[in-house]
Amino acid sequence: MPDHGKRVYDSILELLPSVENPTPLVRIRRLSPFEHTTVYVKLEWYNPFGAVKDRVAANLLRAAEEQGLKLEHLVEPTSGNTGMALAMLANARHLDFTATLSLAIPEEKRAALRAFGAHLVELADDLCPMPGQPEGAMEKASEMARQPGWHELNQYKNPANPDAHFRTTGPEVWKQTDGKVTHFVAGLGTCGTITGAGRYLKSRNPGVKVLGVHPGEGHDIPGVRSRRALALTDFFLPLEYDGIREIDNDVAYRMCKRLNQEESIIAGPSSGMALAGAFELVPDEPGAICVVMFPDNVFKYTSSLRKHLPELFPTAEPAAADEEGPAGEIAMAPSAPAAPKEIAPTETARMIREGAALIDVRTPGEFVAGHLPEAVNVPIQALQAGPVQGLPADKNQPIVTICATGRRSLVAVDLLKKQGYTNVSSSRGGMRDWTTEAAAKR
């Protein structure tokens, strides 16, 4: 047995959490709006591979091995953290691992997966994997798993997912609060955390309130799912929960920033979302003890922070060396204005009237089913492969990309910029928002 008192281990796998080796609880003090309720957050980046999904990945493999499955090559659709844990656990077991995932996942996570030894299949998918999309991560993983020697553990349907939290997270929270926890709050992704831990806590005290927090449609918070997307995971069981709250991008990212700067807790955006939801869902009353799950830290989300907290990324650049100020100091000159990455549908319409190229990056089937007359169809898969026909010859001509909901078109902006196009924007909300905002104003 590992000696957790000395913190000396024979293997990194001995750091996986348990009641004897829990991830820490830290009290929220400056940000809490409560006079009576005590709020603790559970810091899941203390898992050996940096996120709450280490628990799930380890239990998925444990269950597969106990079932006698012969594992050789694992494949899993992921928004990042499960893939990272499976990659490291596969390394420890001398297995191969392939992750199918969206190009909208922050580059930091994709780079880490490569560093961890995972093979990546990057696709024009939603931020979190969604079924029913021919180009999507779920469909691709299922297809690859049909190869001899390949196996998909399937965190979205495998009961070992919530079981991981029934075995570890729930018992840890119970013991760490001396059985006094009254409210348990978690962000909703696969829903393994809230369902598994919630079931354990309610088995010990049916009065514990289990609360879920999710983002809105078209969100940009990796690892969690909108209400529509939640219906597609087997473990979203709202009848078992005592409350659900939606938190939007801006609130989540602002809370993430405040956590780092005011509480000195290096939490990521989904943690900010969960805490903001807890503040709205949990009552302020004597004796209340709330525990909020913080899935991972902020370091994986630099590109997401750039988009939602632009004040953290000053745009000033040094002027040319011959532009010196007093005492020989180099003057600072502002950068030239850049095209905004996202524009409103009404702005898209204006740019089209003024000669911008409209590039629809959906699949040909989606395009044929309905598109704007000015649009040229260049599927994002083609852009991923390199320069293609249908793009403007003039690299300075304004381009607007559009898709179904604005996800793929944002990825397309970066792909086009890598090909040298200088003035590229994405139509915010895609065809969904176009039909409600722009059509009547054209």
Side-chain angles (χ1 to χ4, degrees), residues 26-53:
V26 175
R27 186 172 179 178
I28 295 294
R29 292 189 176 274
R30 293 187 179 181
L31 292 183
S32 177
F34 301 131
E35 178 182 357
H36 303 291
T37 297
T38 300
V39 178
Y40 291 102
V41 295
K42 194 160 175 62
L43 307 185
E44 289 295 291
W45 54 87
Y46 281 85
N47 277 277
F49 312 123
V52 66
K53 291 295 187 176

mmCIF file of all heavy atoms in Angstrom, residues 26-53:
data_model
loop_
_atom_site.group_PDB
_atom_site.id
_atom_site.type_symbol
_atom_site.label_atom_id
_atom_site.label_comp_id
_atom_site.label_asym_id
_atom_site.label_seq_id
_atom_site.Cartn_x
_atom_site.Cartn_y
_atom_site.Cartn_z
ATOM 1 N N VAL A 26 -10.739 23.546 -0.679
ATOM 2 C CA VAL A 26 -10.264 24.869 -0.265
ATOM 3 C C VAL A 26 -11.473 25.788 -0.122
ATOM 4 O O VAL A 26 -12.344 25.835 -0.999
ATOM 5 C CB VAL A 26 -9.271 25.461 -1.289
ATOM 6 C CG1 VAL A 26 -8.889 26.889 -0.898
ATOM 7 C CG2 VAL A 26 -8.022 24.590 -1.385
ATOM 8 N N ARG A 27 -11.518 26.521 0.962
ATOM 9 C CA ARG A 27 -12.665 27.403 1.224
ATOM 10 C C ARG A 27 -12.579 28.675 0.392
ATOM 11 O O ARG A 27 -11.506 29.272 0.229
ATOM 12 C CB ARG A 27 -12.725 27.762 2.703
ATOM 13 C CG ARG A 27 -13.964 28.546 3.077
ATOM 14 C CD ARG A 27 -14.078 28.723 4.580
ATOM 15 N NE ARG A 27 -15.266 29.493 4.935
ATOM 16 C CZ ARG A 27 -15.624 29.757 6.184
ATOM 17 N NH1 ARG A 27 -14.889 29.302 7.195
ATOM 18 N NH2 ARG A 27 -16.723 30.454 6.428
ATOM 19 N N ILE A 28 -13.719 29.083 -0.165
ATOM 20 C CA ILE A 28 -13.839 30.350 -0.869
ATOM 21 C C ILE A 28 -14.184 31.436 0.151
ATOM 22 O O ILE A 28 -15.176 31.319 0.872
ATOM 23 C CB ILE A 28 -14.928 30.280 -1.963
ATOM 24 C CG1 ILE A 28 -14.511 29.284 -3.056
ATOM 25 C CG2 ILE A 28 -15.192 31.654 -2.562
ATOM 26 C CD1 ILE A 28 -13.297 29.686 -3.849
ATOM 27 N N ARG A 29 -13.384 32.486 0.195
ATOM 28 C CA ARG A 29 -13.597 33.531 1.196
ATOM 29 C C ARG A 29 -13.926 34.881 0.565
ATOM 30 O O ARG A 29 -14.949 35.491 0.870
ATOM 31 C CB ARG A 29 -12.369 33.646 2.102
ATOM 32 C CG ARG A 29 -12.175 32.408 2.988
ATOM 33 C CD ARG A 29 -11.105 32.622 4.023
ATOM 34 N NE ARG A 29 -10.992 31.479 4.923
ATOM 35 C CZ ARG A 29 -11.724 31.307 6.016
ATOM 36 N NH1 ARG A 29 -12.637 32.200 6.338
ATOM 37 N NH2 ARG A 29 -11.554 30.242 6.787
ATOM 38 N N ARG A 30 -13.074 35.390 -0.301
ATOM 39 C CA ARG A 30 -13.291 36.734 -0.842
ATOM 40 C C ARG A 30 -14.480 36.810 -1.795
ATOM 41 O O ARG A 30 -15.202 37.800 -1.827
ATOM 42 C CB ARG A 30 -12.033 37.212 -1.564
ATOM 43 C CG ARG A 30 -10.847 37.449 -0.648
ATOM 44 C CD ARG A 30 -9.700 38.070 -1.416
ATOM 45 N NE ARG A 30 -8.546 38.336 -0.563
ATOM 46 C CZ ARG A 30 -7.417 38.884 -0.977
ATOM 47 N NH1 ARG A 30 -7.279 39.222 -2.252
ATOM 48 N NH2 ARG A 30 -6.417 39.095 -0.136
ATOM 49 N N LEU A 31 -14.674 35.771 -2.598
ATOM 50 C CA LEU A 31 -15.718 35.822 -3.624
ATOM 51 C C LEU A 31 -17.097 35.416 -3.103
ATOM 52 O O LEU A 31 -18.104 35.728 -3.732
ATOM 53 C CB LEU A 31 -15.345 34.900 -4.790
ATOM 54 C CG LEU A 31 -14.145 35.302 -5.637
ATOM 55 C CD1 LEU A 31 -13.949 34.320 -6.784
ATOM 56 C CD2 LEU A 31 -14.325 36.708 -6.195
ATOM 57 N N SER A 32 -17.154 34.721 -1.997
ATOM 58 C CA SER A 32 -18.436 34.205 -1.536
ATOM 59 C C SER A 32 -19.395 35.341 -1.168
ATOM 60 O O SER A 32 -19.048 36.240 -0.391
ATOM 61 C CB SER A 32 -18.232 33.297 -0.323
ATOM 62 O OG SER A 32 -19.493 32.854 0.155
ATOM 63 N N PRO A 33 -20.627 35.294 -1.686
ATOM 64 C CA PRO A 33 -21.619 36.314 -1.338
ATOM 65 C C PRO A 33 -22.382 35.988 -0.060
ATOM 66 O O PRO A 33 -23.252 36.753 0.351
ATOM 67 C CB PRO A 33 -22.569 36.275 -2.544
ATOM 68 C CG PRO A 33 -22.554 34.841 -2.958
ATOM 69 C CD PRO A 33 -21.145 34.340 -2.694
ATOM 70 N N PHE A 34 -22.058 34.851 0.562
ATOM 71 C CA PHE A 34 -22.863 34.346 1.666
ATOM 72 C C PHE A 34 -22.370 34.845 3.026
ATOM 73 O O PHE A 34 -21.171 34.969 3.270
ATOM 74 C CB PHE A 34 -22.851 32.817 1.665
ATOM 75 C CG PHE A 34 -23.379 32.201 0.408
ATOM 76 C CD1 PHE A 34 -22.668 31.204 -0.240
ATOM 77 C CD2 PHE A 34 -24.589 32.604 -0.125
ATOM 78 C CE1 PHE A 34 -23.152 30.622 -1.394
ATOM 79 C CE2 PHE A 34 -25.093 32.036 -1.284
ATOM 80 C CZ PHE A 34 -24.369 31.039 -1.921
ATOM 81 N N GLU A 35 -23.322 35.054 3.897
ATOM 82 C CA GLU A 35 -22.996 35.371 5.281
ATOM 83 C C GLU A 35 -22.876 34.104 6.116
ATOM 84 O O GLU A 35 -22.021 34.013 7.004
ATOM 85 C CB GLU A 35 -24.092 36.277 5.869
ATOM 86 C CG GLU A 35 -23.865 36.636 7.333
ATOM 87 C CD GLU A 35 -24.979 37.485 7.909
ATOM 88 O OE1 GLU A 35 -25.914 37.855 7.159
ATOM 89 O OE2 GLU A 35 -24.932 37.775 9.124
ATOM 90 N N HIS A 36 -23.711 33.105 5.814
ATOM 91 C CA HIS A 36 -23.763 31.900 6.635
ATOM 92 C C HIS A 36 -23.187 30.662 5.919
ATOM 93 O O HIS A 36 -22.455 29.884 6.529
ATOM 94 C CB HIS A 36 -25.205 31.603 7.059
ATOM 95 C CG HIS A 36 -25.852 32.725 7.804
ATOM 96 N ND1 HIS A 36 -25.464 33.096 9.082
ATOM 97 C CD2 HIS A 36 -26.862 33.571 7.450
ATOM 98 C CE1 HIS A 36 -26.208 34.116 9.487
ATOM 99 N NE2 HIS A 36 -27.061 34.423 8.518
ATOM 100 N N THR A 37 -23.555 30.466 4.662
ATOM 101 C CA THR A 37 -23.143 29.257 3.944
ATOM 102 C C THR A 37 -21.633 29.231 3.726
ATOM 103 O O THR A 37 -21.041 30.227 3.305
ATOM 104 C CB THR A 37 -23.865 29.182 2.588
ATOM 105 O OG1 THR A 37 -25.271 29.072 2.821
ATOM 106 C CG2 THR A 37 -23.395 27.987 1.779
ATOM 107 N N THR A 38 -21.028 28.089 4.005
ATOM 108 C CA THR A 38 -19.606 27.879 3.760
ATOM 109 C C THR A 38 -19.438 27.187 2.406
ATOM 110 O O THR A 38 -20.111 26.183 2.131
ATOM 111 C CB THR A 38 -18.976 27.001 4.856
ATOM 112 O OG1 THR A 38 -19.131 27.651 6.117
ATOM 113 C CG2 THR A 38 -17.496 26.765 4.587
ATOM 114 N N VAL A 39 -18.562 27.732 1.560
ATOM 115 C CA VAL A 39 -18.338 27.176 0.228
ATOM 116 C C VAL A 39 -16.904 26.652 0.137
ATOM 117 O O VAL A 39 -15.938 27.386 0.355
ATOM 118 C CB VAL A 39 -18.573 28.222 -0.876
ATOM 119 C CG1 VAL A 39 -18.292 27.620 -2.258
ATOM 120 C CG2 VAL A 39 -20.005 28.754 -0.813
ATOM 121 N N TYR A 40 -16.789 25.371 -0.190
ATOM 122 C CA TYR A 40 -15.491 24.757 -0.480
ATOM 123 C C TYR A 40 -15.449 24.373 -1.958
ATOM 124 O O TYR A 40 -16.483 24.014 -2.546
ATOM 125 C CB TYR A 40 -15.281 23.490 0.348
ATOM 126 C CG TYR A 40 -15.092 23.721 1.825
ATOM 127 C CD1 TYR A 40 -16.139 23.498 2.722
ATOM 128 C CD2 TYR A 40 -13.866 24.139 2.330
ATOM 129 C CE1 TYR A 40 -15.975 23.688 4.080
ATOM 130 C CE2 TYR A 40 -13.681 24.343 3.700
ATOM 131 C CZ TYR A 40 -14.737 24.115 4.560
ATOM 132 O OH TYR A 40 -14.564 24.317 5.909
ATOM 133 N N VAL A 41 -14.257 24.437 -2.534
ATOM 134 C CA VAL A 41 -14.084 23.968 -3.910
ATOM 135 C C VAL A 41 -13.086 22.811 -3.890
ATOM 136 O O VAL A 41 -12.121 22.810 -3.124
ATOM 137 C CB VAL A 41 -13.612 25.097 -4.843
ATOM 138 C CG1 VAL A 41 -14.694 26.170 -4.939
ATOM 139 C CG2 VAL A 41 -12.297 25.726 -4.393
ATOM 140 N N LYS A 42 -13.354 21.811 -4.726
ATOM 141 C CA LYS A 42 -12.524 20.604 -4.773
ATOM 142 C C LYS A 42 -11.601 20.698 -5.980
ATOM 143 O O LYS A 42 -12.060 20.737 -7.128
ATOM 144 C CB LYS A 42 -13.413 19.351 -4.837
ATOM 145 C CG LYS A 42 -12.662 18.047 -4.551
ATOM 146 C CD LYS A 42 -13.642 16.954 -4.136
ATOM 147 C CE LYS A 42 -12.964 15.604 -3.951
ATOM 148 N NZ LYS A 42 -11.940 15.620 -2.885
ATOM 149 N N LEU A 43 -10.310 20.744 -5.716
ATOM 150 C CA LEU A 43 -9.308 21.064 -6.740
ATOM 151 C C LEU A 43 -8.842 19.796 -7.443
ATOM 152 O O LEU A 43 -7.917 19.103 -6.997
ATOM 153 C CB LEU A 43 -8.121 21.790 -6.094
ATOM 154 C CG LEU A 43 -8.482 23.022 -5.245
ATOM 155 C CD1 LEU A 43 -7.212 23.715 -4.764
ATOM 156 C CD2 LEU A 43 -9.379 23.994 -6.008
ATOM 157 N N GLU A 44 -9.460 19.525 -8.598
ATOM 158 C CA GLU A 44 -9.225 18.266 -9.285
ATOM 159 C C GLU A 44 -7.948 18.232 -10.114
ATOM 160 O O GLU A 44 -7.565 17.180 -10.624
ATOM 161 C CB GLU A 44 -10.434 17.913 -10.147
ATOM 162 C CG GLU A 44 -11.648 17.515 -9.341
ATOM 163 C CD GLU A 44 -11.400 16.213 -8.559
ATOM 164 O OE1 GLU A 44 -11.296 15.149 -9.185
ATOM 165 O OE2 GLU A 44 -11.291 16.281 -7.316
ATOM 166 N N TRP A 45 -7.251 19.369 -10.245
ATOM 167 C CA TRP A 45 -5.964 19.315 -10.942
ATOM 168 C C TRP A 45 -4.890 18.678 -10.078
ATOM 169 O O TRP A 45 -3.761 18.497 -10.530
ATOM 170 C CB TRP A 45 -5.540 20.686 -11.447
ATOM 171 C CG TRP A 45 -5.505 21.784 -10.433
ATOM 172 C CD1 TRP A 45 -4.483 22.124 -9.611
ATOM 173 C CD2 TRP A 45 -6.543 22.737 -10.173
ATOM 174 N NE1 TRP A 45 -4.813 23.200 -8.841
ATOM 175 C CE2 TRP A 45 -6.077 23.608 -9.171
ATOM 176 C CE3 TRP A 45 -7.833 22.941 -10.695
ATOM 177 C CZ2 TRP A 45 -6.843 24.656 -8.664
ATOM 178 C CZ3 TRP A 45 -8.592 23.977 -10.194
ATOM 179 C CH2 TRP A 45 -8.103 24.827 -9.185
ATOM 180 N N TYR A 46 -5.225 18.317 -8.842
ATOM 181 C CA TYR A 46 -4.298 17.560 -8.022
ATOM 182 C C TYR A 46 -4.316 16.068 -8.361
ATOM 183 O O TYR A 46 -3.568 15.286 -7.773
ATOM 184 C CB TYR A 46 -4.589 17.774 -6.536
ATOM 185 C CG TYR A 46 -4.042 19.092 -6.038
ATOM 186 C CD1 TYR A 46 -4.768 20.267 -6.175
ATOM 187 C CD2 TYR A 46 -2.784 19.162 -5.449
ATOM 188 C CE1 TYR A 46 -4.257 21.487 -5.734
ATOM 189 C CE2 TYR A 46 -2.263 20.365 -4.996
ATOM 190 C CZ TYR A 46 -3.010 21.529 -5.156
ATOM 191 O OH TYR A 46 -2.492 22.720 -4.721
ATOM 192 N N ASN A 47 -5.146 15.661 -9.312
ATOM 193 C CA ASN A 47 -5.047 14.322 -9.871
ATOM 194 C C ASN A 47 -3.717 14.185 -10.606
ATOM 195 O O ASN A 47 -3.151 15.182 -11.075
ATOM 196 C CB ASN A 47 -6.206 14.071 -10.839
ATOM 197 C CG ASN A 47 -7.480 13.632 -10.139
ATOM 198 O OD1 ASN A 47 -7.648 12.467 -9.822
ATOM 199 N ND2 ASN A 47 -8.379 14.585 -9.896
ATOM 200 N N PRO A 48 -3.173 12.977 -10.769
ATOM 201 C CA PRO A 48 -1.824 12.829 -11.329
ATOM 202 C C PRO A 48 -1.658 13.364 -12.741
ATOM 203 O O PRO A 48 -0.560 13.796 -13.109
ATOM 204 C CB PRO A 48 -1.564 11.325 -11.274
ATOM 205 C CG PRO A 48 -2.904 10.695 -11.117
ATOM 206 C CD PRO A 48 -3.726 11.678 -10.353
ATOM 207 N N PHE A 49 -2.722 13.383 -13.537
ATOM 208 C CA PHE A 49 -2.609 13.869 -14.911
ATOM 209 C C PHE A 49 -3.370 15.175 -15.115
ATOM 210 O O PHE A 49 -3.593 15.608 -16.242
ATOM 211 C CB PHE A 49 -3.065 12.791 -15.897
ATOM 212 C CG PHE A 49 -2.444 11.452 -15.605
ATOM 213 C CD1 PHE A 49 -3.228 10.342 -15.363
ATOM 214 C CD2 PHE A 49 -1.062 11.319 -15.538
ATOM 215 C CE1 PHE A 49 -2.658 9.117 -15.058
ATOM 216 C CE2 PHE A 49 -0.476 10.095 -15.232
ATOM 217 C CZ PHE A 49 -1.276 8.992 -14.986
ATOM 218 N N GLY A 50 -3.800 15.804 -14.011
ATOM 219 C CA GLY A 50 -4.226 17.181 -14.058
ATOM 220 C C GLY A 50 -5.697 17.490 -14.153
ATOM 221 O O GLY A 50 -6.051 18.653 -14.327
ATOM 222 N N ALA A 51 -6.585 16.500 -14.009
ATOM 223 C CA ALA A 51 -8.004 16.824 -14.157
ATOM 224 C C ALA A 51 -8.887 15.756 -13.529
ATOM 225 O O ALA A 51 -8.463 14.618 -13.272
ATOM 226 C CB ALA A 51 -8.370 16.987 -15.631
ATOM 227 N N VAL A 52 -10.138 16.117 -13.321
ATOM 228 C CA VAL A 52 -11.125 15.214 -12.733
ATOM 229 C C VAL A 52 -11.284 13.940 -13.557
ATOM 230 O O VAL A 52 -11.620 12.872 -13.023
ATOM 231 C CB VAL A 52 -12.483 15.943 -12.588
ATOM 232 C CG1 VAL A 52 -13.079 16.280 -13.945
ATOM 233 C CG2 VAL A 52 -13.461 15.135 -11.745
ATOM 234 N N LYS A 53 -11.030 14.009 -14.859
ATOM 235 C CA LYS A 53 -11.238 12.857 -15.731
ATOM 236 C C LYS A 53 -10.237 11.740 -15.486
ATOM 237 O O LYS A 53 -10.420 10.629 -16.007
ATOM 238 C CB LYS A 53 -11.186 13.300 -17.194
ATOM 239 C CG LYS A 53 -12.362 14.167 -17.617
ATOM 240 C CD LYS A 53 -13.683 13.416 -17.558
ATOM 241 C CE LYS A 53 -14.818 14.238 -18.150
ATOM 242 N NZ LYS A 53 -16.083 13.492 -18.200
#
